[in-house]
Structure formats: C-alpha cells, structure tokens
Amino acid sequence: MTMNTSEHRRVWTDVGLAVILLAVSTVVNSPLGMLNGLTNEKWNQPLWIWWLATLAAAVALALRRIAPLSMLCLSIATAVVHLLLGAPIMVVDLTAAAVLYTVADLRPRGLSLAALGIVALVAVGTFMLWKFSVEQDAKNARASEVTYTSIKEPQPDKPVLVITPKIFMMDQAGLLSLLGSLLLAAWATGAASRNRRAYLEALRARADDLERSQHQQAALAVAAERDRISRELHDVVAHGLSVMVVQAQGGVAALDHRPGDTRAALAAIVETGRESLADMRRVLGAVSPDSGWHPAPGLAALPKLVAQLGAAGVAVDFSESGERGAVPAAVGLAVYRIVQEALTNTVKHAGQGATARVEVIYQPTGVTVVCADDGSSSKLITGGAGLRGMRERAELLGGRFTAGHAETGFRVTAWLPRQRTARGE
C-alpha cells in the first residue's frame, strides 16, 4: 500500500501510542498490580498469556491504519482473552474501540457498520460466557465468610479461596450499556471524520473544476480575441493594399502622358497608407493599450471609403435608405468592414472596368447592406478568408450573411440586428 507523508506521520503516531500503552500496562494496569489489591489471594492465571494478548493489542493499535479490519479482529481477540482470563477491563482493552474508529474512518459505511455489529455480538457473547463463569465462582464461594465489601486476612482454620474482585460484580446491563456506548461513539466519530474528509475532497474537486473551467474560458477568450485581431488586420491590410495597388497601376500608366494623374495617384496612395496604418494602430491598441487609441470606423465613414475606391478608378454607386437612428457601434463597425471587404474583392477579382453598388437599408429592427458588382471574373472563391470573416462578423452579432455569384458579377448581402440577439451574446 502506498502512503503519502501525512499517512506515514499518522502511522508513526500510532506506533508511539502503542509504546505508551505498553508502558501504562506495565506500570499501572498489569493484572497483578490491579488484582492483588482487590483479592485475598494472588491471581493464579498464566501471566504470559495476558502479556502476549497485551502485546498483540499494542500491535493492533500501531498498525490500525495499514490493515484496519485485520487489526480490529486482533484487538477484539485480545480483549476476549483478557476477559476470559478473569482480569477486569483495562486501558489496553479499549484498543478495540480505537481500531473500530479507524475502520469507520477509512472504510465504506456499510463495511464499518457490519464491523460494529460483529464487535457488538462478540462483546455480548463474551460477557454472557464471563457471567456464567462468575456465577459458578460465586456458588463455590458461598461457603466462605469473606465479604465483597471488605478484604480480610486469611484465617488459619478456614480455607483460602480466590475471590472475584468487586469490579466484576457490577451490574451486567450497566456494563454492557457502557461498553456499547463506547463502541458506538467510536464508530460515530470515525464515520463523522470520513464524511468530513469526503466533503472537503468534494470541495477541493469542485475548486479544481472551477479553476480548470476558468483556464478554459481564458484560453477561449484569448483565441476569440486572436481571431478578432486577425480578422481586423486582414480587413485593414487587404483593403488598403488593394486600393494602393490599383492606384499605383493607374499612376504608372499615366506617368508618361498625364503627370498630373500620376501625382494624384501617388497622393491617394499616401492617404490610403496613412489611413491603413491608423486602422492598424487602432487594432493593435487592443493588444497594447499604450500604443494609442483611435475611434473605430462606422456608418459615417462609408462615403469616404467609397470615395477612396472612386479615386482609385473603381466606380462605386453608394446609397442609403430608411432612417438611420441609433445604431450600435459594433453594428456600424461590422457594416463598415463588410463593405470594405466586399469592395476589396471587387478591386481584386471583378476585372478591369467593373463597377460596384453599395446599398445600406435602415430598418426598425436592423440594418441591411448589399454590395454587388458587375464584374465578369469568376475567380472569387466563396470559402476564402475574407468571406469567412464577413460571415463571422454578421453571425457574431446575431445577423445573417449570404454571398455568391449573381447573374452579373458577385453579390454580398448581410442583415445585422440593431440589438444583439441571444445568439450573439
């Protein structure tokens, strides 16, 4: 059996108690020391049997945590031997109660209850046998004039008999009640200790589960934040670079014949780069607060976004309908990013000369955004990271998202609720 440091310490404590028990039995509770003061004759039983049983009781006390049931049987046997030898109940005989406490503390309730019942039956049977022996001794002692209340010197003209001490003559029902109460108290104390330990273990297990749950929630939160930052960076970088590439291509084409257009394209590239860097700093500000903070773009920034693509040579028709009213910032940011990503896909995949249309419809319960182009290219993959990011933004807020090829070009439609639904919380 493997034991930890605490269990080893308890075993050594039991060994110390067993040594103390032997010392007490030697000095105070030896049968000769106790019986000689209560009788008019020395105890005539084999002394070595009493000491052998006492040593066995000490061993049972020392090893009770290693083999509780075996040591309980051993301690009961020693108490029975002591009693049948005619010795009164002494401290060493109470080891059975101490071992019974250990059985109730370390073994299941049903098993410890069975052990308690067996101990009680053995105690009753032994006392009945002992009572019969005492009654037989009493019959033999009736011829003697020696009383139980006084100790007399033996008379030369009268026979000397071994008299049972007064402690043996106490009321049997009272003695059995006392012993039964002691055994029941030992079992109840051990069972209470086991219940308390089980309760504390359950509390520790619950605390461990809560700690693991907190770690898991923290890991999920970190993963969600990482995905959010990745999505934001993708939207910012992809859109900015796409616009800058288109503007650079237009500047190169106009370099020889239209220097003014080239300067305008370079200025647009610088402006787009600065805005993309500002957006990137805002996104990174969520990771490093010391890097500064900029307001997140929203519905009010859509005209400027459309104008950027117009300056890059992509014609975009932008329209709004309905009453805007109060739109949550998260919804405004999601609309902006969806439009941004949809127009970025138009720049990258729609082809030369394609036009786009952006329509924002304000409704009492939500906002619908439609982004469509008339490009002829079919290279856009519907499972790309950009489309997945738009879908995640919409579903995160409890909205709906669809995207696919239309009769002419590509079409993106999203509906976002004004108030976040249970799905988005």
Side-chain angles (χ1 to χ4, degrees):
M1 182 176 102
T2 304
M3 293 187 295
N4 55 33
T5 304
S6 177
E7 290 173 342
H8 274 294
R9 187 162 52 248
R10 293 192 184 100
V11 170
W12 282 110
T13 301
D14 291 339
V15 172
L17 291 175
V19 173
I20 294 174
L21 177 65
L22 285 176
V24 170
S25 298
T26 302
V27 176
V28 178
N29 282 141
S30 67
L32 291 180
M34 191 166 187
L35 291 177
N36 288 346
L38 298 173
T39 65
N40 63 338
E41 184 64 76
K42 289 187 177 182
W43 192 48
N44 59 358
Q45 300 294 342
L47 189 60
W48 66 269
I49 298 179
W50 189 93
W51 277 111
L52 183 61
T54 300
L55 180 62
V59 171
L61 182 63
L63 303 181
R64 59 178 177 152
R65 297 185 186 277
I66 298 177
L69 291 175
S70 300
M71 295 303 102
L72 179 62
C73 295
L74 182 60
S75 62
I76 294 173
T78 60
V80 171
V81 169
H82 282 170
L83 200 59
L84 293 181
L85 286 176
I89 296 177
M90 302 180 188
V91 175
V92 67
D93 298 312
L94 300 181
T95 55
V99 180
L100 180 61
Y101 161 85
T102 305
V103 171
D105 183 33
L106 300 181
R107 292 296 179 262
R109 181 181 296 272
L111 187 59
S112 64
L113 274 174
L116 175 63
I118 293 174
V119 171
L121 289 176
V122 172
V124 171
T126 304
F127 268 98
M128 295 300 294
L129 181 62
W130 171 79
K131 181 181 178 182
F132 175 78
S133 177
V134 169
E135 290 176 349
Q136 292 298 319
D137 291 341
K139 289 180 181 179
N140 297 330
R142 284 173 187 163
S144 175
E145 295 180 358
V146 180
T147 64
Y148 295 106
T149 58
S150 62
I151 301 174
K152 296 183 178 181
E153 294 294 332
Q155 301 297 324
D157 56 345
K158 293 184 180 180
V160 177
L161 299 176
V162 177
I163 304 301
T164 305
K166 285 173 61 177
I167 193 172
F168 278 17
M169 305 309 296
M170 68 183 295
D171 180 68
Q172 295 300 305
L175 189 59
L176 283 176
S177 299
L178 178 62
L179 183 60
S181 299
L182 179 63
L183 294 175
L184 184 60
W187 178 87
T189 305
S193 176
R194 175 182 175 83
N195 292 338
R196 181 177 179 275
R197 187 170 60 254
Y199 175 71
L200 293 177
E201 289 176 357
L203 289 181
R204 282 193 291 269
R206 182 179 179 185
D208 292 341
D209 291 341
L210 289 176
E211 185 177 0
R212 283 193 295 269
S213 178
Q214 289 177 351
H215 288 325
Q216 292 174 355
Q217 290 178 358
L220 292 175
V222 169
E225 183 66 11
R226 186 185 297 115
D227 291 341
R228 186 189 68 81
I229 294 173
S230 175
R231 186 168 55 245
E232 289 282 330
L233 288 176
H234 173 272
D235 293 343
V236 170
V237 174
H239 175 77
L241 290 179
S242 298
V243 173
M244 292 167 67
V245 167
V246 172
Q247 291 171 337
Q249 289 174 342
V252 170
L255 181 62
D256 295 332
H257 305 288
R258 302 190 302 278
D261 292 343
T262 300
R263 283 193 294 273
L266 293 176
I269 290 173
V270 171
E271 181 66 19
T272 303
R274 286 175 177 172
E275 292 181 356
S276 298
L277 286 175
D279 285 342
M280 187 177 296
R281 291 191 187 99
R282 180 190 59 78
V283 173
L284 296 178
V287 181
S288 178
D290 296 335
S291 63
W293 180 87
H294 299 275
L299 297 171
L302 287 177
K304 186 177 182 180
L305 177 65
V306 171
Q308 284 182 343
L309 268 76
V314 179
V316 180
D317 180 19
F318 176 72
S319 64
E320 293 179 286
S321 60
E323 181 141 355
R324 178 185 295 183
V327 178
V331 175
L333 175 62
V335 170
Y336 181 90
R337 293 304 186 198
I338 290 173
V339 172
Q340 185 183 50
E341 179 62 27
L343 293 179
T344 300
N345 289 335
T346 297
V347 171
K348 291 193 297 184
H349 303 292
Q352 194 73 21
T355 61
R357 175 175 60 87
V358 175
E359 183 179 4
V360 180
I361 305 169
Y362 300 106
Q363 300 159 326
T365 59
V367 179
T368 299
V369 56
V370 179
C371 300
D373 61 60
D374 58 359
S376 57
S377 175
S378 60
K379 293 187 293 183
L380 183 62
I381 301 175
T382 57
L387 293 178
R388 184 171 62 251
M390 288 189 281
R391 184 182 303 278
E392 289 175 356
R393 286 184 183 277
E395 293 179 350
L396 184 63
L397 296 174
R400 298 184 296 271
F401 177 85
T402 58
H405 294 281
E407 294 182 1
T408 57
F410 198 83
R411 180 186 177 93
V412 170
T413 304
W415 177 84
L416 303 173
R418 289 181 179 267
Q419 293 183 348
R420 184 176 294 192
T421 63
R423 181 183 179 186
E425 291 181 354

